[in-house]
Amino acid sequence: MLSESAPPQRLKRSLTLLLAVLYGLGVTIGAGIYVLVGIAAGRSGMHAPLAFIFAALVMSFSAASFAELGTRMPVSASEAAYVEKAFNRPWLSLTMGLLVVLTATISAATISVGSAGYLGVFVDLPPSWIITLVVLSMGLVACLSTRQSVTLAGIMTLIELGGLVLIIAAGFGTGSGVVTRLPEILLAPSDVAAWVGLSGTTLIAVFAFIGFEHLVNVAEEMKNPSRTLPWALFLTLGLTALVYALVVWVAVVAVPPAELATSSAPMALVFERLTGMSLKTMSLIAVIATLNGIIVHVIMISRVLYGLANQGNLPQVLTHLSARTGTPLLATAIGVSAILALALAVPLTGLADLTARFTLVIFAVINITLIRIKSLETAPPVQVFVCPAWVPVAGLVSSIGLLLLDLVVR
């Protein structure tokens, strides 16, 4: 038991820019792209890649707000700390932190259920057994030191990216159509129906980028966070946009958009059409993608719980770190238990959609928070990434606009 005079335990600063970007890519690029390709192609046809570029531009405003707040306060449970700083309302700070935990738990549980489908191709076990084994084993990985667990997640991210890069390379290698058909990506200014379809596709594409903001919750473990965090946020967002746009373009060139839209496994169809390789290859990559997604979500959830406890909003026992790994084992165990319970006991069909909506609410609050903090001070502190005053306003407007657009297109 720690005495009252004992200094608070701190997480070790061990994450380099490379590891931070790999963590960001791992939590952002997920199995969703394998499904979204078909939906995007059905709505916007050859124009679908533009939706992912527009979505990245919209998300860049909130990314800049996260970058400034994250360099001002590089701590775990970051969103809660920002709200506390701006409004000095502990209950509001706790609510914000728990909303972040709830959103990540729903997302991780959804990924866990998806992993059972992919692993079922290779392992003949009931889905509930697969889910349990997967979540518990990935939870154990998250208990390792942050550098070890994030390095492993980074290797899995590279494999996951490798599958998408393989599709891109195959697309460019099968002929000149990927280049010569580029003019088809553009919309005619007078084509109202195409622009309406693209706006709906952009909303879906925005959901594919959700996850990059979790980087702020490991800022406390970054080396030189004032420099590393902004670069990690913008590199994650930019690289994700580039990969998504290229994958979607190769997909709509390789397979007619109407055919993609009716396929239950559009990326597997594209992969088979381009390479002639077994679908099990893509299934194996998808397995790695889902396992990676679980690891990075467990890490993030545990750090938010640790941070909330460190801020005095949750019991102090959650701040205890393992002497061997330097990680919050109790907070990790709670996160793993919540993910497993949700994955096994609750139908996730409707809950999965809440992940994106909750995230947009979080984005809106974060932008309001930065607006508030900027209004209260005469000059920002030194060694802080500072974005112009209009940026959080643009982030707030875009977040609320996307929530309203969601109501319209649903």
Side-chain angles (χ1 to χ4, degrees), residues 98-182:
L98 293 179
L99 179 60
V100 171
V101 169
L102 175 61
T103 303
T105 303
I106 294 172
S107 178
T110 306
I111 294 170
S112 302
V113 173
S115 71
Y118 291 120
L119 279 166
V121 176
F122 305 97
V123 180
D124 186 17
L125 286 174
S128 59
W129 279 82
I130 295 177
I131 291 170
T132 301
L133 291 172
V134 163
V135 173
L136 292 179
S137 59
M138 295 305 101
L140 288 174
V141 171
C143 289
L144 300 173
S145 72
T146 302
R147 187 177 182 87
Q148 290 174 324
S149 58
V150 172
T151 297
L152 178 58
I155 294 170
M156 297 171 80
T157 297
L158 291 175
I159 295 172
E160 180 183 347
L161 281 171
L164 298 177
V165 170
L166 178 61
I167 289 175
I168 295 170
F172 278 89
T174 54
S176 60
V178 172
V179 176
T180 59
R181 296 181 63 183
L182 268 176

Side-chain angles (χ1 to χ4, degrees), residues 247-265:
V247 166
V248 174
W249 176 244
V250 167
V252 294
V253 170
V255 180
E259 187 179 353
L260 274 178
T262 58
S263 173
S264 59

Side-chain angles (χ1 to χ4, degrees), residues 191-226:
D191 193 343
V192 177
W195 283 103
V196 171
L198 186 64
S199 66
T201 309
T202 300
L203 177 63
I204 294 172
V206 163
F207 295 167
F209 286 94
I210 288 173
F212 73 90
E213 74 282 359
H214 294 329
L215 276 163
V216 296
N217 285 299
V218 294
E220 188 172 338
E221 298 168 86
M222 291 181 184
K223 295 180 178 179
N224 190 14
S226 62

Side-chain angles (χ1 to χ4, degrees), residues 11 38 77 79 87 126 166 183 225 245-246 276 286 289 295 323 357 366 377 407:
L11 296 166
E79 294 91 343
F87 301 104
L166 178 61
L246 287 174
I295 293 173
R357 294 173 193 138
I366 288 300
E377 63 185 15
L407 295 175

